[in-house]
Amino acid sequence: MSAESYEYEIHEYKQGFTRKRISSIREVPLTIMLNGREVVTLLCTAKYPEYLAVGFLKSDAFVSSPAQITDLTVRDEGDRLVAEVEVCHDPWENRIMERSITSGCGKGTNFGRNVATISKRKVGGDVRVTPEQILALARELHERSTLYKTTRGCHNSSLCTPDEMLLFREDIGRHNAIDMLCGQCFLDDVAVDDKMIVSTGRIASEILLKVVRIGVPVLASTAVATSFSVELARKTGITLIGNIRDDSFWVYNDNGRIVGF
């Protein structure tokens, strides 16, 4: 599985019908197995499946330390990928598999428990970022989005310092793009208390919960935030920025990290 997109011939209506060749982003199921038990099937582009699988498990509190992971393999079955993750503890102990339908149209496991637990946390980190740096990072995110420009079908997320974009990930789902960043930081022991995530896509509560759980103190998006995510940001102390445009953005919560605010 190497191609990121596939070409199709379609008909476009524009004052009449004409033939047109377009690129559609690839969509592949990734089934995550944990100690031999299926956790979830995510729909993704098949890029960085190891980081995506581990990021999902970390975001959903199945693992809390990289040392718990004893084996991680990804198997290509042609029409799908299967991530086999083995851990040294019992990830299912005292776990009630509540399900909720998230705004990303997927089933969120233990969503209620995640909210109750994470909303009690306080996100630290003394990163300081200027408005000009926020706007510059959002511009760079757009410039790097070659797959979006080709297919118009993906979201993008990046791990940054105020001065530099360190990691860039893209996927059909904004949740997946965030999880890939979280998974890589988790597995590679990347310090995040001086970092920020700049992303595309609506900031719903499940997105904010992922970022809080990994401990990144600043989350910024070119889209807007939901009311629930704003409330959670103010409870946890995460700096939340949305609706980034060429020369403007909204600050939903700051906690002293934006210079001049």
Side-chain angles (χ1 to χ4, degrees), residues 127-165:
V127 60
R128 297 275 286 166
V129 60
T130 67
E132 292 75 18
Q133 288 171 321
I134 293 168
L135 295 174
L137 288 169
R139 284 195 297 270
E140 184 174 352
L141 185 75
H142 177 71
E143 290 166 2
R144 289 201 187 191
S145 306
T146 55
L147 185 57
Y148 177 80
K149 292 172 185 175
T150 301
T151 66
R152 312 294 290 181
C154 72
H155 282 287
N156 310 289
S157 291
S158 59
L159 182 76
C160 314
T161 67
D163 296 311
E164 183 182 7
M165 190 168 288

Side-chain angles (χ1 to χ4, degrees), residues 95-133:
R95 192 176 181 94
I96 301 172
M97 293 301 291
E98 299 172 353
R99 297 274 181 169
S100 59
I101 304 299
T102 69
S103 62
C105 303
K107 292 181 180 179
T109 59
N110 289 287
F111 181 75
R113 186 173 67 85
N114 282 345
V115 171
T117 301
I118 298 176
S119 62
K120 298 176 183 177
R121 295 188 180 187
K122 291 297 179 182
V123 177
D126 56 359
V127 60
R128 297 275 286 166
V129 60
T130 67
E132 292 75 18
Q133 288 171 321

Side-chain angles (χ1 to χ4, degrees), residues 14-243:
K14 191 175 184 180
Q15 296 180 341
F17 288 100
T18 57
R19 290 178 181 267
K20 181 185 178 86
R21 290 197 67 82
I22 57 96
S23 294
S24 289
I25 192 167
R26 180 220 262 149
E27 183 178 24
V28 178
L30 170 66
T31 298
I32 302 174
M33 305 291 295
L34 183 59
N35 285 8
R37 181 173 171 181
E38 181 177 340
V39 179
V40 71
T41 295
L42 305 174
L43 297 173
C44 64
T45 59
K47 297 179 68 175
Y48 304 99
E50 295 90 350
Y51 289 138
L52 175 54
V54 171
F56 178 89
L57 294 175
K58 166 61 177 173
S59 296
D60 214 51
F62 282 98
V63 293
S64 58
S65 167
Q68 294 175 322
I69 300 174
T70 59
D71 191 41
L72 170 59
T73 59
V74 175
R75 187 172 68 253
D76 186 343
E77 295 188 345
D79 61 344
R80 69 173 51 237
L81 299 175
V82 178
E84 300 269 6
V85 184
E86 297 290 331
V87 295
C88 61
H89 65 292
D90 181 3
W92 309 101
E93 184 178 5
N94 300 321
R95 192 176 181 94
I96 301 172
M97 293 301 291
E98 299 172 353
R99 297 274 181 169
S100 59
I101 304 299
T102 69
S103 62
C105 303
K107 292 181 180 179
T109 59
N110 289 287
F111 181 75
R113 186 173 67 85
N114 282 345
V115 171
T117 301
I118 298 176
S119 62
K120 298 176 183 177
R121 295 188 180 187
K122 291 297 179 182
V123 177
D126 56 359
V127 60
R128 297 275 286 166
V129 60
T130 67
E132 292 75 18
Q133 288 171 321
I134 293 168
L135 295 174
L137 288 169
R139 284 195 297 270
E140 184 174 352
L141 185 75
H142 177 71
E143 290 166 2
R144 289 201 187 191
S145 306
T146 55
L147 185 57
Y148 177 80
K149 292 172 185 175
T150 301
T151 66
R152 312 294 290 181
C154 72
H155 282 287
N156 310 289
S157 291
S158 59
L159 182 76
C160 314
T161 67
D163 296 311
E164 183 182 7
M165 190 168 288
L166 305 175
L167 298 173
F168 173 82
R169 298 291 177 257
E170 53 193 349
D171 200 273
I172 58 174
R174 66 194 193 280
H175 302 73
N176 295 348
I178 295 286
D179 274 339
M180 282 189 276
L181 294 177
C182 292
Q184 186 162 358
C185 291
F186 182 67
L187 283 178
D188 296 350
D189 195 25
V190 177
V192 296
D193 59 350
D194 60 345
K195 306 295 192 305
M196 53 191 293
I197 285 180
V198 181
S199 181
T200 62
R202 182 182 64 255
I203 309 170
S205 55
E206 65 268 22
I207 296 293
L208 190 118
L209 291 172
K210 293 176 184 293
V211 176
V212 171
R213 187 178 288 282
I214 203 69
V216 177
V218 179
L219 172 59
S221 178
T222 57
V224 298
T226 66
S227 61
F228 198 3
S229 61
V230 174
E231 295 299 325
L232 287 172
R234 293 178 177 180
K235 287 181 180 178
T236 60
I238 192 171
T239 296
L240 183 60
I241 300 160
N243 198 39

